[in-house]
Amino acid sequence: MNNNQKLALLSLSHLNTVLIQNNLVPANNKQSALKEVHSLIDAGVVSVDNVLAVKPQPIVTGGIDNDLRDKLNDSNAKALNAVESSNVALEEVRRLNAHVLTESVKYRDEFKTLADSLVSRIDAISKPDASRITNEITQQVSALFDQFREQATPQQLKTVANAVPTFELRRAAEVFGETACQYDGNDFGDLLVAVWNDTEAPAIVDDYIFSPAHLHQALIALDDPLPDNVWLAGERGTGKSEFVTQVAARLRRRLFRINFDEALERADFIGGNSIDAGSVVWKAGIVTQAIRHPGAIVLLDEIGFARAQSLAALHALCERSPHRAITISETGERIPVASHVVFFCADNSNGHGDSSGNFAGVREQNSAFIDRFSYTLYFDYLAQDDEIALIVNRTGVTLDAARIVVGFANVAREKARVGLLTQPPSLRQLFAWARSVKKGLPVNTAFQNAIVNKFPADCAVELVGIYASHINESEFKLALTK
């Protein structure tokens, strides 16, 4: 078939498309169109192959205004070009998707190889060596991350950096001391604990005395990227808040503490709108700040004073679920809880209210909220010898003087147990009494200011009676000099 025959087989719309592309007016019949196309070929403007390769497009012909016809044909041409561009873009998207899939499979396989390598190396260690395991993981992850960093965007790098926890594994006995890791024939000194490197962790109080049983349970609760929450219950002054603070201090984890009262609202700890430079902006509360920080320990202190409706916002955050998060109603933002974030509650009750009558305002909490705390630890006063040693360390009084103070406290505590006192003096009050006496204040005056004057009138009589029957001021003064 020769070229003339091939051209003769083309449709009118095909021929007119060639004419329009060469700025000619489309013909009303095929014969005229074919003649014009032959003229273009003869003039060398187009070749036969060019003509055959053209994709036909709808052409407006007939007896209509030439300008209108040209506009319509121009619109048709632009529409076809847009479709062609879309097809090119779609093909590029398909190519990019295939590239991403290939890279994902590549990194998945490399991570699997890394995991298999680490498992085999760890299995080869007869006894866990925390530093060796940490170094192996650090080196392998660092090498793999270098490859990722070369291709990742700054935002991806920031996201990964915030998600990677930074801690080392160490023996509990190295962190808390051998004595703190032994009780009732149990020794958990070899338990590996994650020690973080947060520069804003609380300061360590060297003379704090841990209950080994409580510490063991707390460390087990923390031993997971999705940890168990813990409820601490007990009399005031038994060290509940300080227990959490010193766990955070020794594990070098940041502590976020919220002190609850009946007036505290959701906006106070979750966040709320405020005016800034004349504009309404949403500002995060302390809990919302805490959950963004990997490894944070959140202490909900005096939780018994909070109203149940105020705590409803915490239910989703305290749920032991990989999906735990909070959605900010003011902005619509969903904020997930970061890895290793744990909640501790400290209260005079176990969440079911105060049945003793000693703690006014302590409310019974919603059972669904209490159930989000896996373990409840009851705190009691220190053993007598430990309490005497602590008073000596904190106040500087002699051992004999501290023994007199603790003797008074034990009698007062027994009176409280049988209902003769609303509550006994706290450890803080005992410290204050001993400090004042150490600095020269008369024993009775220091006792009045640090203890008696802080209690209701009905308790004052009982406290003065205990003082009169158990404190010999001359012996106390003599004990200060021994």
Side-chain angles (χ1 to χ4, degrees):
M1 183 180 295
N2 59 36
N3 288 338
N4 288 335
Q5 290 173 325
K6 292 178 181 179
L7 294 174
L9 293 176
L10 298 178
S11 65
L12 176 60
S13 63
H14 193 133
L15 296 170
N16 276 336
T17 300
V18 176
L19 296 179
I20 290 172
Q21 289 180 350
N22 289 276
N23 299 317
L24 297 177
V25 177
N28 291 326
N29 57 71
K30 183 174 179 179
Q31 184 177 1
S32 298
L34 191 59
K35 181 179 179 182
E36 293 292 336
V37 170
H38 274 294
S39 297
L40 290 172
I41 294 172
D42 293 341
V45 176
V46 295
S47 67
V48 173
D49 289 338
N50 293 148
V51 172
L52 294 175
V54 167
K55 292 183 179 180
Q57 65 184 47
I59 303 297
V60 178
T61 60
I64 64 172
D65 181 77
N66 287 338
D67 288 341
L68 178 59
R69 180 179 59 209
D70 290 344
K71 289 179 180 180
L72 291 172
N73 287 329
D74 185 56
S75 297
N76 287 338
K78 289 180 179 179
L80 285 174
N81 288 336
V83 171
E84 183 64 23
S85 297
S86 297
N87 289 335
V88 172
L90 184 60
E91 185 60 32
E92 179 64 14
V93 169
R94 291 195 183 99
R95 187 189 70 78
L96 290 174
N97 281 340
H99 177 71
V100 170
L101 181 60
T102 301
E103 290 297 305
S104 298
V105 171
K106 172 186 172 184
Y107 284 120
R108 182 196 64 193
D109 292 343
E110 289 183 354
F111 272 110
K112 184 177 185 303
T113 301
L114 170 62
D116 292 342
S117 172
L118 290 176
V119 168
S120 63
R121 295 184 187 189
I122 292 172
D123 287 343
I125 301 174
S126 59
K127 184 176 181 180
D129 183 331
S131 61
R132 180 177 174 184
I133 294 173
T134 300
N135 289 337
E136 289 283 353
I137 294 174
T138 301
Q139 292 172 7
Q140 295 292 337
V141 171
S142 177
L144 190 59
F145 186 72
D146 286 342
Q147 299 177 23
F148 171 74
R149 184 168 47 196
E150 293 175 359
Q151 303 180 23
T153 65
Q155 183 59 40
Q156 288 173 324
L157 288 173
K158 181 179 179 181
T159 300
V160 171
N162 289 336
V164 177
T166 54
F167 58 78
E168 62 174 350
L169 297 177
R170 294 174 57 189
R171 293 176 60 249
E174 295 175 14
V175 179
F176 295 92
E178 296 286 353
T179 303
C181 298
Q182 299 171 354
Y183 67 102
D184 299 336
N186 300 293
D187 187 334
F188 57 94
D190 287 334
L191 177 67
L192 294 180
V193 297
V195 179
W196 297 62
N197 62 350
D198 200 313
T199 57
E200 296 188 34
I204 293 176
V205 175
D206 291 326
D207 63 359
Y208 180 79
I209 300 172
F210 286 97
S211 160
H214 289 353
L215 178 61
H216 195 187
Q217 180 66 85
L219 295 179
I220 287 174
L222 293 171
D223 186 29
D224 198 290
L226 184 59
D228 288 286
N229 301 319
V230 182
W231 191 291
L232 311 182
E235 298 279 347
R236 67 191 182 109
T238 51
K240 301 182 294 297
S241 301
E242 191 64 16
F243 173 83
V244 180
T245 302
Q246 289 309 305
V247 167
R250 285 162 172 78
L251 296 181
R252 307 304 302 150
R253 297 173 67 159
R254 191 175 304 187
L255 176 67
F256 294 83
R257 180 174 176 176
I258 304 95
N259 287 89
F260 282 85
D261 58 52
E262 61 180 10
L264 200 68
E265 300 286 349
R266 174 187 179 277
D268 296 321
F269 56 90
I270 296 298
N273 287 331
S274 63
I275 304 297
D276 186 6
S279 300
V280 177
V281 295
W282 185 84
K283 291 190 175 180
I286 187 169
V287 170
T288 311
Q289 296 173 42
I291 64 173
R292 297 177 190 265
H293 190 77
I297 294 178
V298 186
L299 173 57
L300 308 175
D301 210 0
E302 306 293 355
I303 194 75
F305 291 114
R307 292 175 294 171
Q309 58 267 39
S310 297
L311 297 180
L314 296 176
H315 284 214
L317 298 178
C318 294
E319 183 70 50
R320 192 175 188 274
S321 165
H323 310 296
R324 56 183 184 160
I326 187 171
T327 299
I328 306 303
S329 57
E330 293 89 342
T331 65
E333 180 186 8
R334 179 182 180 275
I335 303 175
V337 180
S339 172
H340 294 81
V341 173
V342 66
F343 290 84
F344 281 82
C345 269
D347 191 28
N348 298 126
S349 78
N350 63 355
H352 296 287
D354 172 41
S355 59
S356 69
N358 292 342
F359 304 104
V362 172
R363 292 180 168 88
E364 182 173 1
Q365 296 301 323
N366 185 299
S367 60
F369 180 68
I370 298 172
D371 197 46
R372 283 164 168 77
F373 292 79
S374 303
Y375 310 110
T376 297
L377 309 181
Y378 274 96
F379 280 68
D380 203 348
Y381 298 103
L382 289 173
Q384 180 168 304
D385 288 345
D386 290 336
E387 193 167 28
I388 290 170
L390 186 59
I391 290 175
V392 170
N393 289 338
R394 294 287 178 92
T395 68
V397 298
T398 65
L399 195 64
D400 287 340
R403 189 174 288 111
I404 292 172
V405 171
V406 172
F408 166 84
N410 286 337
V411 175
R413 290 163 185 166
E414 188 57 37
K415 296 275 188 180
R417 288 190 182 95
V418 298
L420 296 178
L421 266 180
T422 304
Q423 54 188 324
S426 68
L427 189 56
R428 300 181 190 93
Q429 292 170 332
L430 300 181
F431 287 154
W433 182 21
R435 278 197 305 270
S436 293
V437 173
K438 167 69 176 176
K439 293 180 179 181
L441 203 67
V443 177
N444 184 52
T445 303
F447 174 74
Q448 288 286 334
N449 297 338
I451 296 179
V452 176
N453 295 344
K454 302 177 74 69
F455 281 81
D458 59 336
C459 292
V461 175
E462 191 68 35
L463 288 168
V464 170
I466 299 172
Y467 178 90
S469 60
H470 289 80
I471 301 296
N472 184 310
E473 294 182 8
S474 298
E475 290 182 359
F476 201 147
K477 291 177 183 178
L478 182 61
L480 291 170
T481 62
K482 290 183 180 180

